[in-house]
Amino acid sequence: MGREYFDPTPEEQIIVLVDSVTIARAERLIESCEHCNPECAEIPFDNVLDRVTGADPSVTDYILEYPALCPYCGREILENTLVEPT
Ligand SMILES: [Zn+2]
């Protein structure tokens, strides 16, 4: 009882809540997504978020306040959606 609460990862993982301002900024840095442009979309959206927030990608996880939208096709983009940067 209770031992399940032990966290096996010693690394300090940072959870960043991505607000609407940051989402809007990140949307400006993408051209298309894996839905409308599978050939060119090859970086995950959280990679773009690293650039916008300046956070350390090795310890940062993102939670989107709401999904970003692809500027080209308007489909939803989540943390792990592949996108084409501008
Ligand atoms: Zn798209």
Side-chain angles (χ1 to χ4, degrees):
M1 289 288 277
R3 288 182 187 218
E4 294 84 351
Y5 293 104
F6 179 70
D7 182 0
T9 55
E11 308 291 332
E12 281 185 58
Q13 204 69 19
I14 304 164
I15 308 286
V16 174
L17 178 67
V18 183
D19 61 19
S20 54
V21 175
T22 308
I23 291 171
R25 242 180 237 155
E27 282 174 340
R28 266 181 248 131
L29 294 176
I30 61 180
E31 194 79 43
S32 58
C33 72
E34 64 185 23
H35 302 293
C36 58
N37 197 356
E39 304 271 299
C40 299
E42 48 193 19
I43 68 158
F45 186 56
D46 61 6
N47 218 299
V48 178
L49 294 172
D50 292 333
R51 280 166 56 187
V52 174
T53 62
D56 180 351
S58 61
V59 294
T60 309
D61 278 332
Y62 297 102
I63 297 175
L64 296 173
E65 202 175 285
Y66 54 82
L69 294 178
C70 172
Y72 189 78
C73 70
R75 284 196 181 87
E76 291 188 348
I77 293 174
L78 300 173
E79 296 91 322
N80 55 0
T81 304
L82 297 177
V83 297
E84 179 199 8
T86 52

